[in-house]
């Protein structure tokens, strides 16, 4: 076989190899793209709390996602080494679950989603900070603080109570 024929055979083999390689790489890239899309699609999922460990003092919850229960996952709450806010979630509460890697084996429960069954508190669009716990309501506009409670308010100081104000009203009477 002459030299020209060998070059042609090599080119055909190289072309065939290149086509096979291109096809295999395309298949791998398509599978990788599908896997990436699946992970991105699973980053945040909505569900309902089906079991909690709040009564044990733990911020952990199982969430029903698409008809199956998750492992116990940590609940994201406000806290630092100085300020701690404990807002236990309830069974049946709607939450979002953030899966940072797009996989169901580790996630964070994000409570606090407003929806038809859990409306924003009245006055929420007035620029006020509002905290409602059951029937108790704390409200502030940055200057005044209002506290409303359907029951009694009990103050148990470890020391003195100082009230500084120009006027004190008790049952609408000036003291």
């Amino acid at each position: 076989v002459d030299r020209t024929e060998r070059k042609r055979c090599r080119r055909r083999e190289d072309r065939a190899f290149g086509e096979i390689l291109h096809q295999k790489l395309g298949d791998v890239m398509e599978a990788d793209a599908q896997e990436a899309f699946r992970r991105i699609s699973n980053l945040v999922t909505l569900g309902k709390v089906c079991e909690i460990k709040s009564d044990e003092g733990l911020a952990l919850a199982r969430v029903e996602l698409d008809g199956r229960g998750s492992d116990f996952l940590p609940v994201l709450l406000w806290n630092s080494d100085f300020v701690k806010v404990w807002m236990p979630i309830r069974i049946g509460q709607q939450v979002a679950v953030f899966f940072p890697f797009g996989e169901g084996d580790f996630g964070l429960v994000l409570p606090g989603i407003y929806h038809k069954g859990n409306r924003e508190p009245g006055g929420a669009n007035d620029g006020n900070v509002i905290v409602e716990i059951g029937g108790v309501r704390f409200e502030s506009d940055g200057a005044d603080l209002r506290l409303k409670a359907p029951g009694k308010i009990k103050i148990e100081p470890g020391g003195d109570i100082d009230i500084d104000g120009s006027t004190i009203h008790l049952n609408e009477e000036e003291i």
Side-chain angles (χ1 to χ4, degrees):
V1 179
D2 69 351
R3 192 178 230 188
T4 311
E5 185 61 32
R6 279 193 304 231
K7 282 185 178 180
R8 257 186 265 163
C9 283
R10 238 184 259 133
R11 280 188 206 131
R12 276 191 298 241
E13 289 170 357
D14 287 349
R15 227 178 293 134
F17 176 75
E19 288 172 6
I20 291 170
L21 183 62
H22 181 71
Q23 182 180 359
K24 294 291 183 193
L25 283 174
D27 291 347
V28 168
M29 289 175 64
E30 184 178 329
D32 285 348
Q34 288 174 350
E35 176 64 10
F37 180 75
R38 184 190 67 75
R39 285 182 178 230
I40 289 169
S41 297
N42 291 332
L43 282 175
V44 178
T45 306
L46 296 179
K48 285 195 176 190
V49 175
C50 58
E51 191 176 346
I52 55 174
K53 289 197 173 184
S54 300
D55 54 343
E56 298 172 33
L58 301 173
L60 297 172
R62 283 189 202 268
V63 180
E64 185 180 319
L65 305 164
D66 297 326
R68 63 177 178 78
S70 70
D71 291 337
F72 276 103
L73 302 172
V75 179
L76 189 64
L77 298 171
W78 296 349
N79 80 78
S80 68
D81 59 351
F82 180 68
V83 175
K84 300 212 181 305
V85 177
W86 179 253
M87 294 183 294
I89 59 175
R90 308 276 187 241
I91 292 175
Q93 181 177 343
Q94 185 178 19
V95 295
V97 181
F98 171 59
F99 295 105
F101 307 109
E103 295 289 338
D105 54 353
F106 174 75
L108 296 169
V109 178
L110 309 171
I113 299 173
Y114 291 116
H115 53 86
K116 288 180 188 175
N118 179 28
R119 302 301 252 182
E120 297 83 349
N125 60 354
D126 294 340
N128 296 339
V129 174
I130 301 167
V131 177
E132 287 185 346
I133 305 167
V136 176
R137 180 180 173 106
F138 299 85
E139 186 174 341
S140 178
D141 59 7
D144 296 326
L145 172 66
R146 287 169 292 290
L147 169 61
K148 296 178 184 176
K152 68 180 178 180
I153 297 173
K154 187 175 180 181
I155 300 172
E156 297 180 0
D160 296 339
I161 296 177
D162 295 323
I163 300 175
D164 293 324
S166 59
T167 307
I168 297 174
H169 296 271
L170 181 62
N171 292 327
E172 299 184 21
E173 290 186 29
E174 200 171 299
I175 298 177

